[in-house]
Amino acid sequence: MRNLLLLAILVPALAAGQGPLRVPATVDTLPNGLTLIIHEDHSVPIVTTNVWFHVGSGDEKPGRTGFAHLFEHLMFMGSQNAPYPQFDRLLEAAGANNNGSTTEDRTNYYEEGPSTALPLMIWLEADRMGWLLPTMDAPKVDLQRDVVKNERRQSYENQPYGLVYDYLPKLMYPAGHPYNWPVIGSMTDLSAASLEDVKDFFRRYYAPNNATLVVAGDVKPDDVRALVRRYFADIPRGPALERPAPAPFTVKDTAITLEDRVQLPRLFMNWHTVKGWHADDAALEIASYVLTGSRTSRLTQALVYAGELATGVQAYQDGKRLDGDFMLVATARPGKGLDTLRTVIDAELAKLAAEGPTARELEEAKNATEASFLRGIQQVSGKADRLNAYYYQTGNPDSFQADLDRYKAVTAADVQRVVKQYLRASRVMASVVPQGKLDLAAKKGVIQ
């Protein structure tokens, strides 16, 4: 209901604009290869910087995983002209904040603060891109290696149901595929990494020709260009990078059971699908909403409310740069086994594949998707990250309307087809059950 209400507020505002959704931006490239994208927005006196290094866990090598996420931490450990902990302290003193994140495909670093803080933000970003390596030593790497290991314990080893995320990449993607290991890496690989291994990874990937800087908000483009030239122009270009496409593959129908210190059993079902912006990517996202996106969605009703078999269920399509997968997760109510949930899920998938969604289901899914999309770009920081994402994915930072149009164009026949093609195919199924309760696991079942 809240999604639809928000949409009712936002859509008239867009309609009043009498044109497509636009986030105008300029694109410049420095001689060293750094791409600069500027979006001017004077609605509030706020500015954000958003750097995407086009390096993620997919660029790591087997046996040396976890480096991209390790650098998410190391980049805040000080550089030659801003030694630790000046990066955080200087920004906080200026009223700004900062953070970063890592995926299989990229690592981003972002700051947001008053427009007066822009020169400081630009200088700090440039200093760690150009002059981090001279200050990197074994104590810094060891300190952040331990922090990352502790994060891994919190998210995997000591997190209820967490270990399943260590198994799924290996089961979903074949050996040698860039998505064959988790983003955070393995304990063994993190322990084995030498200081020189880490430095080599930085030299290869953290260079201006492998990065895009978005500056958005209360700025004058000419002032931004002058600042960026002043601080980034002397940073040397890195090596040219080649990323061969992974070989095609099919997922083997698999069912595993993991015992964990949990109270309730949980079922994970995963299918190999398509990468982001593939022609079927949007239809799969709409299908996920039809299945679990609202109180009245098919699986939510069948499992949680009408059936009273599960405490919750959710699904999503994860279209990455090279490949994609669809995950469905359901947690059983006390006393219920996962094979019962699996049977209901298979029946609902078969029904959706046979009949497709109703007109009302399709309309609700599209409205909710559009509302979520618009919420994500209400603030300048959200727009900045999308500008970077669209430039990386499509080559055009202002792809907002094109992205929205993908979802608007999905038909009932599209949803029916992708459910039949992808979600009625071989899958990886993982049952996580309380210790000693193996009888609660789901059986592989037969897909009809």
Side-chain angles (χ1 to χ4, degrees):
M1 180 61 75
R2 283 186 301 175
N3 287 345
L4 297 177
L5 178 61
L6 178 63
L7 185 66
I9 296 170
L10 290 171
V11 166
L14 286 174
Q18 299 297 314
L21 177 60
R22 293 288 319 280
V23 180
T26 62
V27 180
D28 297 277
T29 304
L30 271 62
N32 61 9
L34 177 70
T35 299
L36 171 63
I37 299 171
I38 304 171
H39 167 62
E40 189 176 1
D41 177 357
H42 299 287
S43 57
V44 291
I46 296 292
V47 64
T48 185
T49 60
N50 186 299
V51 177
W52 272 38
F53 284 99
H54 300 159
V55 54
S57 60
D59 293 295
E60 298 159 356
K61 297 177 182 176
R64 289 293 182 273
T65 64
F67 282 27
H69 182 245
L70 178 61
F71 266 104
E72 183 191 315
H73 290 257
L74 285 170
M75 291 288 266
F76 294 97
M77 287 300 291
S79 49
Q80 188 161 297
N81 300 297
Y84 181 80
Q86 292 302 313
F87 194 96
D88 288 331
R89 287 186 177 176
L90 289 170
L91 285 174
E92 288 166 4
N97 57 72
N98 68 90
N99 213 328
S101 69
T102 310
T103 72
E104 292 89 344
D105 301 320
R106 62 96 182 116
T107 309
N108 76 344
Y109 301 91
Y110 48 93
E111 292 86 46
E112 185 173 79
S115 50
T116 53
L118 180 62
L120 174 65
M121 295 178 187
I122 298 289
W123 173 68
L124 286 170
E125 283 293 359
D127 206 64
R128 64 180 177 181
M129 181 188 289
W131 292 275
L132 179 81
L133 207 54
T135 71
M136 192 181 302
D137 54 22
K140 281 186 180 180
V141 172
D142 289 343
L143 176 63
Q144 291 308 314
R145 187 202 319 258
D146 288 343
V147 171
V148 171
K149 285 182 174 179
N150 198 44
E151 274 192 12
R152 195 191 139 91
R153 292 185 190 98
Q154 291 176 331
S155 302
Y156 289 72
E157 283 84 358
N158 297 332
Q159 174 78 19
Y161 311 102
L163 271 179
V164 72
Y165 297 102
D166 206 21
Y167 284 83
L168 288 177
K170 298 180 182 64
L171 296 172
M172 288 297 297
Y173 294 97
H177 193 288
Y179 301 157
N180 177 255
W181 50 87
V183 171
I184 203 166
S186 78
M187 285 291 196
T188 302
D189 292 352
L190 288 166
S191 298
S194 70
L195 176 61
E196 203 52 36
D197 287 336
V198 176
K199 285 186 173 182
D200 283 346
F201 195 78
F202 183 90
R203 293 187 188 100
R204 183 168 178 77
Y205 293 109
Y206 296 80
N209 52 309
N210 195 40
T212 305
L213 167 62
V214 170
V215 179
D218 183 25
V219 297
K220 293 290 187 184
D222 286 344
D223 295 343
V224 175
R225 293 187 188 98
L227 278 171
V228 171
R229 279 197 300 270
R230 178 180 178 186
Y231 293 121
F232 281 89
D234 291 339
I235 302 173
R237 177 185 288 268
L241 299 173
E242 293 184 6
R243 294 181 170 95
F249 67 95
T250 55
V251 166
K252 182 181 178 183
D253 206 26
T254 305
I256 65 167
T257 301
L258 303 173
E259 294 181 82
D260 200 356
R261 291 170 293 174
V262 296
Q263 296 293 317
L264 299 173
R266 181 173 290 177
L267 180 64
F268 297 79
M269 301 173 84
N270 304 267
W271 293 265
H272 180 218
T273 56
V274 295
K275 63 183 180 181
W277 286 81
H278 182 281
D280 292 340
D281 179 49
L284 284 160
E285 284 206 35
I286 294 294
S288 74
Y289 188 92
V290 171
L291 289 167
T292 69
S294 73
R295 185 187 178 99
T296 58
S297 61
R298 295 190 178 209
L299 286 176
T300 307
Q301 273 297 310
L303 292 175
V304 179
Y305 293 106
E308 297 187 350
L309 298 170
T311 62
V313 59
Q314 57 184 313
Y316 60 89
Q317 151 71 4
D318 185 12
K320 298 177 270 281
R321 188 175 66 86
L322 299 172
D323 224 318
D325 42 77
F326 188 102
M327 175 179 277
L328 197 157
V329 184
T331 306
R333 282 178 179 261
K336 305 297 181 184
L338 294 179
D339 205 52
T340 303
L341 273 60
R342 193 270 304 163
T343 302
V344 173
I345 292 168
D346 278 343
E348 289 296 332
L349 289 175
K351 186 177 179 183
L352 188 56
E355 303 172 358
T358 65
R360 184 184 180 283
E361 285 177 316
L362 185 64
E363 182 182 11
E364 178 184 336
K366 287 186 178 183
N367 286 344
T369 301
E370 184 171 2
S372 176
F373 179 92
L374 295 172
R375 275 199 306 276
I377 59 172
Q378 287 180 101
Q379 297 184 352
V380 70
S381 56
K383 283 187 278 191
D385 202 52
R386 291 259 183 170
L387 286 164
N388 234 331
Y390 291 144
Y391 184 77
Y392 192 37
Q393 294 161 346
T394 73
N396 176 16
D398 187 7
S399 291
F400 291 81
Q401 187 63 52
D403 195 10
L404 196 53
D405 287 345
R406 294 193 301 143
Y407 299 95
K408 289 183 174 181
V410 172
T411 66
D414 291 332
V415 175
Q416 181 179 5
R417 178 179 51 77
V418 298
V419 170
K420 187 183 298 183
Q421 179 176 345
Y422 300 102
L423 308 187
R424 302 296 292 154
S426 297
R427 64 199 180 192
V428 172
M429 188 167 62
S431 298
V432 181
V433 299
Q435 290 175 328
K437 300 288 186 181
L438 292 171
D439 58 309
L440 294 177
K443 299 177 180 61
K444 188 179 291 186
V446 178
I447 302 169
Q448 297 177 334

